[in-house]
Amino acid sequence: MALAYDGAIQRLIDAFNRLPGIGPKGAQRIAFYLLGADAQEAADLADAIAEVKAKVRFCDVCGNVCESSPCPICADPRRDHTVICVVEEPKDVMSIERTREYRGLYHVLGGAINPMANVGPSDLNIANLLERLKDDQVKEIILALDPNIEGEATTTYLSRLLSPLGVKVTRLASGLPVGSDLEYADEITLGRALAGRREA
Amino acid sequence: MALAYDGAIQRLIDAFNRLPGIGPKGAQRIAFYLLGADAQEAADLADAIAEVKAKVRFCDVCGNVCESSPCPICADPRRDHTVICVVEEPKDVMSIERTREYRGLYHVLGGAINPMANVGPSDLNIANLLERLKDDQVKEIILALDPNIEGEATTTYLSRLLSPLGVKVTRLASGLPVGSDLEYADEITLGRALAGRREA
């Protein structure tokens, strides 16, 4: 009995099923969608995959993904070159850009310190960060790592590493998310919000 | 401010975001996964997409997707050519094959009657089904459409169309799903299960 689809369809389903967040049913749905879609849309997707592997590289300065190094942010003279915001991943750069509250530069570590996954400081893009501080142009480093165990460990590590260098080291505020409910806040978040209280 | 990624990454995110069941966050996650994946895996996915558009066609007999017509099921002499199971979509063929309970042939309609979406009987692969009944080899037609409004309408339509032709027309049993809870069954399903009760 045929328990797999005929040739190419099954290979496409399998290929989508290997992607993160796509299960067997979702992969099947996408495969049949592409089968019914016009040839141009399918070709666009195939081309976009090939193109991203061929063109995308990492910025030699900040470690963000880009097509030319230095990346558009590092190369932009209108941005504030005295502040560097340190993040874990390229997608975190996009999250901060969306706030439209920040005009400085970035530094992408490529992860966080995680002993369970054998990721130590030497596996992160930290040497380049120290290199960027050498010309004394940078006045502030904002540590914007994920508020979880790995992010906290990395924040502590970087804070101790950078503070002696005479640069101001700050971190994002912890507290209640806007629009949330005090009643449902976990006690650690509420504790942080209390500790970080400011005049109203 | 850069609110989109640089070039190729954004195009890849957009291409994935257009697929069914993938939102902006999921598309971003997949794009960065592919960026970090080895070149072979990304190439395999791009090739699979191109291949499915180039190779896959519909079986001239049953309407199922295949790479050669007639499809492997229609061409298999070991299958029971006196029974045809009528389904809406190619993925329904796979669902029935997985039960390992059916050894007959299939007929894929390509949808169900749905006046709201302007799909009438003439938009479905029904003429070919009538053609297949002409040589009097087929003894039974099993209507295996989705148990929803469109499927019921199509079942009723096909049942009235096919019964006068002297072929036995059956439909899948409605009732309680195996492993479910009587308490949580909706009243229509429970009503069908009662009406279709059989000796224990």
Side-chain angles (χ1 to χ4, degrees):
Chain A
M1 274 184 228
L3 284 177
Y5 289 95
D6 205 11
I9 300 180
Q10 190 61 46
R11 280 193 293 278
L12 185 60
I13 293 174
D14 292 342
F16 273 110
N17 197 8
R18 279 192 290 269
L19 299 180
I22 301 184
K25 293 274 177 189
Q28 179 177 279
R29 188 171 165 212
I30 292 168
F32 279 106
Y33 168 81
L34 284 174
L35 198 59
D38 62 64
Q40 190 57 48
E41 182 175 351
D44 285 349
L45 178 60
D47 292 347
I49 294 167
E51 196 188 13
V52 94
K53 295 301 280 186
K55 285 196 185 168
V56 174
R57 43 170 300 177
F58 295 94
C59 174
D60 294 326
V61 181
C62 72
N64 196 5
V65 290
C66 59
E67 290 189 13
S68 57
S69 179
C71 71
I73 293 178
C74 287
D76 188 345
R78 292 165 304 172
R79 297 194 71 118
D80 183 352
H81 283 240
T82 67
V83 192
I84 294 178
C85 178
V86 178
V87 296
E88 292 182 22
E89 303 288 350
K91 56 179 180 283
D92 300 327
V93 170
M94 200 52 51
S95 299
I96 292 176
E97 284 293 290
R98 284 199 197 98
T99 67
R100 297 179 178 271
E101 295 276 347
Y102 181 67
R103 295 288 298 141
L105 304 180
Y106 291 95
H107 194 82
V108 180
L109 293 177
I113 295 171
N114 185 355
M116 301 289 282
N118 268 324
V119 179
S122 60
D123 300 309
L124 303 177
N125 184 23
I126 293 176
N128 272 2
L129 178 60
L130 296 175
E131 199 65 39
R132 293 176 75 180
L133 301 180
K134 281 196 176 154
D135 65 0
D136 288 333
Q137 201 191 6
V138 178
K139 304 300 175 208
E140 184 180 357
I141 302 268
I142 302 171
L143 300 175
L145 292 99
D146 288 341
N148 55 24
I149 293 176
E150 294 79 18
E152 290 293 329
T154 313
T155 298
T156 306
Y157 176 85
L158 289 177
S159 172
R160 285 182 190 165
L161 184 73
L162 301 172
S163 296
L165 304 180
V167 64
K168 186 176 167 191
V169 180
T170 58
R171 54 176 297 168
L172 296 186
S174 284
L176 298 172
V178 176
S180 68
D181 226 335
L182 200 97
E183 184 183 353
Y184 297 114
D186 66 281
E187 55 270 32
I188 297 173
T189 301
L190 197 51
R192 292 275 178 89
L194 262 174
R197 69 190 178 280
R198 50 199 190 106
E199 287 194 35
Chain B
M1 273 184 231
L3 284 177
Y5 289 94
D6 202 14
I9 300 181
Q10 191 61 46
R11 281 194 290 279
L12 184 60
I13 293 174
D14 292 343
F16 272 109
N17 197 7
R18 279 193 289 270
L19 299 178
I22 300 185
K25 293 273 178 191
Q28 178 177 279
R29 188 174 165 210
I30 292 168
F32 279 105
Y33 168 81
L34 284 174
L35 197 59
D38 61 65
Q40 190 56 49
E41 183 174 353
D44 285 350
L45 178 59
D47 292 347
I49 294 166
E51 196 188 12
V52 94
K53 295 302 280 188
K55 284 195 183 169
V56 174
R57 46 169 298 175
F58 295 95
C59 174
D60 295 326
V61 181
C62 71
N64 195 5
V65 289
C66 60
E67 291 188 15
S68 56
S69 179
C71 70
I73 293 177
C74 287
D76 188 347
R78 291 166 306 172
R79 297 195 70 118
D80 183 353
H81 284 238
T82 68
V83 191
I84 294 178
C85 177
V86 178
V87 295
E88 292 182 21
E89 303 288 350
K91 57 179 178 282
D92 301 328
V93 171
M94 199 53 49
S95 298
I96 293 176
E97 285 294 288
R98 284 201 198 96
T99 67
R100 297 179 176 271
E101 295 275 346
Y102 181 67
R103 294 288 299 143
L105 304 181
Y106 291 94
H107 194 83
V108 180
L109 294 177
I113 295 170
N114 183 357
M116 300 289 282
N118 269 324
V119 179
S122 61
D123 300 307
L124 303 176
N125 183 24
I126 293 175
N128 271 3
L129 177 61
L130 297 175
E131 198 65 36
R132 293 176 75 180
L133 300 180
K134 281 195 175 154
D135 65 0
D136 288 334
Q137 201 191 7
V138 178
K139 304 300 175 209
E140 181 178 359
I141 302 266
I142 303 170
L143 301 175
L145 290 98
D146 288 341
N148 55 22
I149 294 174
E150 294 79 19
E152 290 294 328
T154 313
T155 297
T156 307
Y157 175 86
L158 287 177
S159 172
R160 284 181 191 163
L161 184 74
L162 300 172
S163 295
L165 305 181
V167 64
K168 184 178 169 189
V169 180
T170 58
R171 53 175 298 169
L172 295 187
S174 284
L176 299 172
V178 176
S180 66
D181 226 337
L182 201 98
E183 183 183 355
Y184 298 114
D186 66 283
E187 56 269 32
I188 298 173
T189 301
L190 198 51
R192 290 275 180 87
L194 263 173
R197 68 189 178 282
R198 52 201 189 104
E199 288 194 33

